[in-house]
Each structure stands twice: as structure tokens, then as C-alpha cells.
Amino acid sequence: MRSEDLVVMGFVRGAFGVKGWLKVQADTEYADGLFDYPVWWLGKENDWKPYTFENGALQPKALAAKLEGVEDRDAAEVLRGMQIAVPRAELPAAEEGEYYWADLIGLEVVNQQGEVLGKVSELMETGAHDLLVVQGADAQRMIPFVDQYVLEVQLAEGKIQVDWGLDY
């Protein structure tokens, strides 16, 4: 499976118990949304390996998950830090005005004056709203992902139009 065919949905925080369960941080709308996918791809960059999802439980600060072939704590610890991805083809289509975070990474961010602020390097979830982290040549900016500041997302053009100044 190629990296561009996968969407990262979380990562392995470490082992959970002694029977091969993983502690998982999910980056999904609903914490247990990863449980909907029968095969998880674990890895980094261009090195991915499929694992069959066996069982899962919602914990107070993370998910606990059991994957086929991961039978003890040592095997689970080996997977610490691995990203968890699912095939893009298995994701439901995004509704009008909604976007998968993975689709926003790398988009160019331009303000109303036509000034390029940089490219989206990541998104962050906060208690109030999500933030676009924009890496520019001169600075890193955090722009709230709300209608007041994010005016238009143009996926096909690879651009996000914002109401944000260079000096903010």
C-alpha cells in the first residue's frame, strides 16, 4: 500500500497490559471511530504493514486495541510511535464544507491581499476550535479553523484563502 493511498488516523502510544494490547491515540471525530476499520496499517512514511483489528475498548484518556499477531507486551512496545492509517478508499465521502485533515496538509495558505503565508504543516485540536499550523518562510502561524478566518478551501487548486495578516 502506498502512503498516498492511506490516511493517518492516530498513533500507537505504547503497550496496554501484558497480552499484546496497544494504547492508541485516535485523531478521529469520535474516539472509537478507528474500531470501524477491520484492517489498520501501521508504520511511518513509506513503510506500512497491515494488521487485522481484533478488539478494542474506550479508555478515559486513550483507546485500547488488540491487533492480530501482537501477542505480548514486548510485541506491543515495538509498535510504539507507529502511525495508524486506513485506506482512503474506505473513508466515507466528506460532506459539503467538511474536509479530512490529511487533505489540508501541504495546502498553500494565502491571505486576502494575495500574500502567501506558507503551507499547512499540521492541524491541532484545542478545546475551543481546531488550528491550522502554517509554516512560512519567515514564521510559523496558528490560524483558527473557523469561518471568520478561513474564507475558502480550494482542494483542487491546493489553496486555502484566509483573512489573516502577515504581521499577526
Side-chain angles (χ1 to χ4, degrees):
M1 178 83 46
R2 300 175 317 159
S3 292
E4 54 268 14
D5 297 331
L6 297 171
V7 175
V8 174
M9 304 286 278
F11 67 93
V12 178
R13 290 175 50 187
F16 183 82
V18 296
K19 295 185 178 182
W21 283 65
L22 304 172
K23 189 183 310 179
V24 172
Q25 177 67 47
D27 294 327
T28 55
E29 182 176 8
Y30 301 104
D32 57 355
L34 265 174
F35 298 162
D36 295 339
Y37 300 94
V39 176
W40 293 4
W41 289 78
L42 272 61
K44 292 182 179 177
E45 297 173 13
N46 291 320
D47 186 21
W48 296 93
K49 181 178 176 187
Y51 289 85
T52 300
F53 173 75
E54 287 185 351
N55 200 355
L58 187 58
Q59 299 295 314
K61 294 189 177 186
L63 299 177
K66 178 68 175 80
L67 302 179
E68 188 176 283
V70 183
E71 302 303 328
D72 59 32
R73 185 172 185 87
D74 291 338
E77 276 298 329
V78 167
L79 300 175
R80 179 188 293 268
M82 294 289 181
Q83 293 179 314
I84 301 168
V86 298
R88 181 178 293 280
E90 292 182 20
L91 296 174
E95 293 186 28
E96 181 75 25
E98 293 186 356
Y99 311 95
Y100 285 108
W101 281 14
D103 294 336
L104 301 177
I105 303 295
L107 295 186
E108 185 176 66
V109 179
V110 180
N111 66 17
Q112 290 180 300
Q113 293 73 36
E115 300 165 319
V116 176
L117 302 178
K119 292 189 177 196
V120 178
S121 60
E122 66 178 300
L123 283 98
M124 294 174 49
E125 186 176 354
T126 69
H129 46 72
D130 299 332
L131 293 174
L132 288 173
V133 179
V134 179
Q135 187 61 53
D138 60 335
Q140 182 182 68
R141 295 173 177 85
M142 294 188 187
I143 302 173
F145 195 76
V146 295
D147 291 340
Q148 180 180 354
Y149 301 115
V150 177
L151 306 175
E152 186 177 11
V153 175
Q154 302 166 324
L155 288 178
E157 292 83 6
K159 191 180 295 187
I160 298 176
Q161 183 80 37
V162 296
D163 183 7
W164 201 262
L166 280 176
D167 56 348
Y168 292 6

